Amino acid sequence: MSLEGKFSANPWPAGEAPVVFILDARNGFEQDLLERWITAHEETASGQCRTHRRLNLNLGNDRRGIDPGSMREQLSSSDDAIIAPLRVAWTPPLAALNSGPRLRDLIMGDPRRPRQGRARRIAAREPERMHLVSGEPDSLANLRGRYLAKYAEDSATDVHAFGIFVARQAAVVLDIAERRLQGGRYKVPRYVAESLRANRSYNEALEHLAAQQGSSKTALLKEASAYMEEMISIPSTFWLDVWASFCGFCLRLGYERKIVVDPAAIEAMRQIVRDHPSMLLWTHKTYLDGMVVPKVLYDNDFPMPHMFGGANINFAGVGFMVRRAGGIFIKRSFSDNTLYKLTLRHYIGYLMEKRFPMNWSFEGTRSRLGKLMPPRYGLLKYVLEACHATDARDIHIIPISISYDLIRDVEEYATEQTGRGKGAESLRWFIGYVRSLARPMGKIYMDIGQPVVLSQAPEPEDSLALSKIAFEVAVEANRVTPITFPSLVTMSLLGAAPKALTESEVVEELRALLAWAETRQLRISADFDRAYAEQMDGLLGIMINEGIVTRYDEGPEVVYGIALEQHPVASYYRNTIIHFFVNKAIIELALVKSTEASEAQALEVFWAEVDELRDLFKFEFFYAPSAEFHREIRAELARYEPDWESLPERTPGGFTQLLLAMTPLVAHVTLLTYVEAYSVVSDLAARLPAEQGMDEQACVSEALKLGRQLYLQRRISSESSIGKLLFRNGFQMLQHRGLTSGGGQERGEQRQTLARQLRELKRRLEVIRAIGLTGRDRFKEPMP
């Protein structure tokens, strides 16, 4: 369309009421265009004897604030006057839309916000990039009513504040109109600090705090304004484009271009976010997680969620970019700063009220073990407190599982778990990290769970409610974590270790595990290649190149295995899916114990052991509530034998036959790491004098030494059982059982009993492992 054709639409609101045009113009050229647009249709409006006024405001700079001084006269118009906001919008050239931001844009500026000279050239040479935008008009009477409802104050009382309110409303409706042109991904909050300072609830809270502290509201507001400058994100269309392009660049270095995600799940999430206060909580395995969610949402024209960033990534360059793409950096510690907490709470409440979703890492820190880590409550607590303060309803917490075929960071995690520290993050470190990504690592998967819905936020002091909410999110995140080829192949090869498997044995093991998962309708990656038997050089080839899997082809048959020194790395990938197999592993261990009891006591022994194992590993896995957990155990066993509970009474060796029929056996590959790690800390406790207590730091430090010794003596099977997090959870287990504090002779006996129990568990795991390694074919007779 030619430049002249751009003026064909009529910017005048319908009707005969007087009009106040608010012209959002950044420079004289844009103002001239808007003036010309109004004038082009003025003759038609004048025929109705219609009066109008024009007011030029630059609404583009949120941080500079709004000067409403020039609005006083216009806002004194009659209540039937119509406020009609107008703006000039610019779209990037087609090449830039396809390629993303270019280096020249960093120098010349955002092509959507050109300077005056550049705007003149674009209008002359590429008029199709210039658009005249009109925001939804509203009457002055309606604006006065909305101002009264929001602030409980008549608009005539403070004309200055009312002018700011009208200008903000104009900016909002213009942004909405422009997003129809630019895309939904560019929805960003405007004039946040101005809105907070005008917020009635925030001002009442400041007055209350000032009275408590013997200060003045003015002094607190001045201090709070500095906090707002520090914490409030300042996203813009240009930097959203830059951040999305940078995320895409980093992810493409090692991973396939297309992230595996269900488009229907994205659309369902879009509807939830549009209609409800929402939080997107994602599992955290690598630094790249913070790039996956924004990249997927950007590519699907999804409003960019605000993300909480750790202070560790707020360094030169990256911190600058993230903050302008929706990142919120908060102080590492502010528990004693009441004003800071108050301001943060109202900032979060504002974002939730305006339907800007929040997103952050559910676990707080990256999982160093592969499995879901215990949730961190801090951010969830602050966000729910903000929802409580603003009386938000129907809050939706959406779990997101981010998975990878392979992860660059895993070797680093394995090293950290041995007790070695990690380097501090910096720009130099980050450049090195990005460079290290340039090697094939397969695919990325993003899976979206069903939301945890809260009719309203719990009371801020209700810690039990908070933990239950976090638990529900964790269970759903685990449920939607997909089974991938690397997770399954490492599980298979670790289960056989130290034995290597032939190619046909690998295929048989994978098929057995996959069939087990499919019959239970577990989440399997949509891109899981069922033709792996014919394509063993694909992703498995990458794992071989990375040294995770060893391949020996100089004998009569090709065999695959995992070298002992690679067990910690391989265990990481296996751990991403072991939550699916925990119940079955507990059943197998309980069955072995019950087979060693009398037939009359077998069932009672079985259930007692099931509950004991559930409690023993409560710091590692998320279980269903007890009654539901028991139903899950019964349902799993009923798949093999519907009347399994009566087996010991009606069939000699019934539970033994049941165990042998439960192929593939998984207890040894699922729980051995945790049993061995717990046995290390329990041995430490058993060696102490009964009256001596132990603290966590010393326990972990000594366990790392003892664990290394036991590994060298081959009393534990793998270095994957030696790790700070494992020993820390083992200490928590001891603490939960009251064994970390000193006591009398009874305390010493309790510690000895636990150490024997864990040694017994290791023996039973060896029994299960031996059954698995001797081959399953002999046990395929039908059940009696």
Side-chain angles (χ1 to χ4, degrees):
M1 181 184 292
S2 67
L3 183 61
E4 292 301 320
K6 295 288 185 175
F7 298 95
S8 59
N10 190 346
W12 288 74
E16 300 181 4
V19 182
V20 177
F21 287 107
I22 293 181
L23 311 184
D24 179 18
R26 286 177 291 274
N27 51 60
F29 179 62
E30 289 190 355
Q31 183 176 351
D32 290 344
L33 288 172
L34 295 175
E35 295 275 5
R36 183 178 168 188
W37 190 23
I38 295 169
T39 303
H41 298 272
E42 188 173 6
E43 185 176 341
T44 304
S46 298
Q48 303 170 359
C49 301
R50 193 171 192 184
T51 62
H52 79 280
R53 298 176 181 179
R54 305 177 187 186
L55 173 63
N56 187 63
L57 289 177
N58 183 354
L59 301 175
N61 191 338
D62 296 8
R63 296 174 73 78
R64 191 171 60 191
I66 301 170
D67 179 10
S70 58
M71 301 179 67
R72 182 179 298 271
E73 183 180 349
Q74 283 78 2
L75 296 181
S76 64
S77 302
S78 60
D79 280 357
D80 65 340
I82 302 298
I83 306 296
L86 305 179
R87 173 186 291 170
V88 181
W90 307 85
T91 51
L94 183 60
L97 286 173
N98 294 331
S99 67
R102 300 161 296 179
L103 180 60
R104 60 180 293 187
D105 296 329
L106 290 173
I107 301 169
M108 299 181 64
D110 185 355
R112 291 186 176 86
R113 301 289 185 266
R115 297 185 185 94
Q116 181 164 291
R118 190 181 182 191
R120 286 184 185 278
R121 290 193 297 273
I122 292 172
R125 301 172 186 174
E126 303 174 90
E128 69 279 1
R129 292 178 53 195
M130 191 273 287
H131 308 269
L132 299 173
V133 174
S134 59
E136 184 69 26
D138 203 357
S139 70
L140 201 51
N142 283 344
L143 288 166
R144 293 189 193 281
R146 285 158 58 190
Y147 181 82
L148 177 64
K150 188 172 184 62
Y151 301 113
E153 189 174 89
D154 189 275
S155 57
T157 304
D158 189 342
V159 177
H160 181 91
F162 180 58
I164 292 176
F165 172 77
V166 172
R168 288 204 312 265
Q169 299 306 302
V172 168
V173 296
L174 283 170
D175 286 349
I176 291 171
E178 187 174 351
R179 280 201 302 275
R180 298 190 189 105
L181 176 70
Q182 306 279 15
R185 61 172 64 90
Y186 299 115
K187 179 184 178 184
V188 296
R190 301 291 306 280
Y191 296 104
V192 178
E194 294 271 10
S195 298
L196 288 179
R197 282 190 284 265
N199 183 275
R200 180 172 57 184
S201 174
Y202 182 58
N203 277 276
E204 289 173 353
L206 284 179
E207 290 171 359
H208 180 69
L209 181 60
Q212 281 185 328
Q213 296 184 349
S215 181
S216 69
K217 177 186 168 185
T218 303
L220 289 181
L221 191 56
K222 182 178 180 181
E223 184 182 347
S225 293
Y227 294 149
M228 292 178 194
E229 184 83 10
E230 177 184 303
M231 74 173 64
I232 291 176
S233 173
I234 47 176
S236 67
T237 55
F238 177 69
W239 287 104
L240 288 174
D241 288 342
V242 171
W243 177 240
S245 293
F246 181 71
C247 292
F249 165 77
C250 292
L251 296 174
R252 288 194 301 272
L253 285 172
Y255 296 99
E256 294 184 14
R257 180 176 292 267
K258 183 180 178 182
I259 295 173
V260 181
V261 63
D262 181 5
I266 292 284
E267 290 308 308
M269 186 166 69
R270 190 195 308 276
Q271 186 66 41
I272 290 171
V273 168
R274 182 187 299 125
D275 296 338
H276 306 282
S278 303
M279 296 165 243
L280 318 180
L281 304 190
W282 35 270
T283 58
H284 197 10
K285 295 183 175 65
T286 170
Y287 289 107
L288 295 179
D289 297 328
M291 297 181 175
V292 172
V293 173
K295 177 59 176 168
V296 169
L297 299 186
Y298 181 92
D299 288 347
N300 286 275
D301 199 28
F302 197 102
M304 192 58 64
H306 281 65
M307 50 193 165
F308 288 104
N312 59 322
I313 64 168
N314 189 15
F315 47 77
V318 173
F320 175 92
M321 182 166 46
V322 170
R323 190 155 183 253
R324 284 156 180 77
I328 300 172
F329 294 108
I330 58 178
K331 294 181 183 293
R332 187 178 294 273
S333 176
F334 52 87
S335 57
D336 297 329
N337 192 333
T338 306
L339 179 59
Y340 188 91
K341 286 195 293 185
L342 176 68
T343 304
L344 176 62
R345 184 180 302 126
H346 279 82
Y347 174 39
I348 294 170
Y350 172 85
L351 294 174
M352 298 292 281
E353 179 186 0
K354 300 300 182 183
R355 302 296 186 263
F356 291 101
M358 315 294 296
N359 89 113
W360 69 89
S361 160
F362 176 58
E363 299 152 282
T365 57
R366 294 169 293 156
S367 170
R368 265 62 171 186
L369 296 178
K371 67 183 181 66
L372 190 66
M373 301 295 288
R376 296 284 183 90
Y377 296 149
L379 285 175
L380 182 60
K381 184 177 190 299
Y382 285 123
V383 175
L384 288 178
E385 283 180 358
C387 291
H388 184 272
T390 57
D391 197 29
R393 302 296 173 125
D394 290 329
I395 305 157
H396 283 55
I397 307 176
I398 305 173
I400 296 176
S401 172
I402 303 174
S403 309
Y404 306 81
D405 280 333
L406 300 177
I407 295 177
R408 138 77 178 83
D409 311 48
V410 174
E411 288 183 20
E412 172 192 321
Y413 299 160
T415 300
E416 284 179 29
Q417 289 308 298
T418 64
R420 301 176 194 171
K422 69 181 187 72
E425 290 87 352
S426 64
L427 181 59
R428 181 179 179 181
W429 163 86
F430 185 72
I431 292 171
Y433 177 79
V434 171
R435 292 178 62 185
S436 73
L437 297 173
R439 61 198 204 206
M441 288 180 280
K443 296 177 181 177
I444 303 174
Y445 310 85
M446 181 173 135
D447 291 82
I448 302 169
Q450 291 298 314
V452 174
V453 182
L454 311 178
S455 59
Q456 62 186 90
E459 293 290 333
E461 298 79 18
D462 193 344
S463 57
L464 180 59
L466 183 69
S467 64
K468 286 182 177 179
I469 292 166
F471 174 83
E472 289 183 52
V473 175
V475 168
E476 181 62 13
N478 264 340
R479 187 188 70 81
V480 297
T481 297
I483 293 174
T484 62
F485 178 83
S487 62
L488 213 59
V489 78
T490 50
M491 185 168 189
S492 172
L493 293 177
L494 284 170
K499 175 185 174 183
L501 298 179
T502 65
E503 188 169 303
S504 61
E505 287 174 329
V506 172
V507 170
E508 180 186 348
E509 288 282 338
L510 290 177
R511 283 178 175 162
L513 289 169
L514 195 62
W516 184 89
E518 287 176 328
T519 58
R520 286 147 185 83
Q521 298 182 320
L522 301 181
R523 180 69 64 101
I524 299 169
S525 164
D527 275 29
F528 197 105
D529 187 1
R530 264 52 171 198
Y532 49 77
E534 292 78 38
Q535 302 178 30
M536 293 294 281
D537 292 332
L539 191 51
L540 186 59
I542 297 176
M543 297 175 74
I544 292 169
N545 292 337
E546 288 292 309
I548 302 168
V549 174
T550 58
R551 180 178 186 269
Y552 183 77
D553 59 2
E554 295 184 16
E557 292 186 90
V558 178
V559 294
Y560 300 88
I562 294 177
L564 279 175
E565 64 272 13
Q566 287 297 318
H567 276 212
V569 173
S571 295
Y572 182 96
Y573 296 108
R574 174 205 59 196
N575 289 350
T576 62
I577 61 169
I578 58 170
H579 56 275
F580 290 127
F581 300 89
V582 168
N583 283 6
K584 187 174 190 299
I586 287 174
I587 288 171
E588 291 169 10
L589 278 170
L591 283 175
V592 172
K593 183 165 186 176
S594 64
T595 60
E596 297 168 355
S598 66
E599 293 175 354
Q601 294 180 317
L603 188 59
E604 181 182 345
V605 168
F606 172 83
W607 281 116
E609 186 65 5
V610 164
D611 290 335
E612 171 61 20
L613 292 171
R614 181 180 188 269
D615 183 73
L616 182 66
F617 299 113
K618 66 190 299 181
F619 299 106
E620 302 292 349
F621 305 107
F622 297 93
Y623 303 103
S626 294
E628 184 180 345
F629 173 73
H630 282 191
R631 284 194 295 271
E632 291 172 352
I633 297 296
R634 288 189 173 92
E636 175 64 20
L637 284 164
R639 291 177 179 274
Y640 300 96
E641 171 55 49
D643 191 20
W644 65 272
E645 290 185 272
S646 67
L647 270 176
E649 297 178 1
R650 59 186 172 86
T651 306
F655 272 5
T656 300
Q657 291 299 313
L658 180 59
L659 174 66
L660 298 179
M662 289 185 66
T663 55
L665 297 177
V666 299
H668 57 300
V669 70
T670 302
L671 295 178
L672 181 60
T673 293
Y674 305 96
V675 172
E676 289 186 337
Y678 282 19
S679 72
V680 173
V681 294
S682 71
D683 281 353
L684 279 176
R687 295 177 184 207
L688 291 175
E691 65 277 6
Q692 184 176 336
M694 57 195 305
D695 66 80
E696 182 176 327
Q697 186 173 350
C699 174
V700 172
S701 177
E702 291 302 312
L704 288 170
K705 299 172 186 176
L706 177 59
R708 183 66 184 168
Q709 173 193 316
L710 295 177
Y711 170 68
L712 293 173
Q713 293 176 297
R714 293 301 183 263
R715 290 170 58 189
I716 60 176
S717 64
S718 165
E719 287 183 294
S720 62
S721 303
I722 306 170
K724 291 188 294 183
L725 287 174
L726 290 166
F727 294 147
R728 197 169 293 142
N729 286 351
F731 179 85
Q732 281 189 280
M733 179 270 297
L734 292 176
Q735 193 174 48
H736 172 67
R737 294 174 178 232
L739 302 181
T740 56
S741 58
Q745 181 180 351
E746 184 181 0
R747 181 61 42 79
E749 291 173 354
Q750 289 170 337
R751 290 172 175 175
Q752 294 289 342
T753 299
L754 178 61
R756 286 193 297 271
Q757 177 188 351
L758 286 162
R759 286 195 290 271
E760 170 61 16
L761 273 179
K762 286 199 291 184
R763 183 193 67 80
R764 275 188 268 151
L765 287 170
E766 282 301 314
V767 170
I768 292 169
R769 179 176 172 277
I771 294 173
L773 290 178
T774 53
R776 298 187 299 270
D777 289 344
R778 73 180 70 179
F779 303 121
K780 289 185 178 177
E781 307 92 30
M783 289 284 295

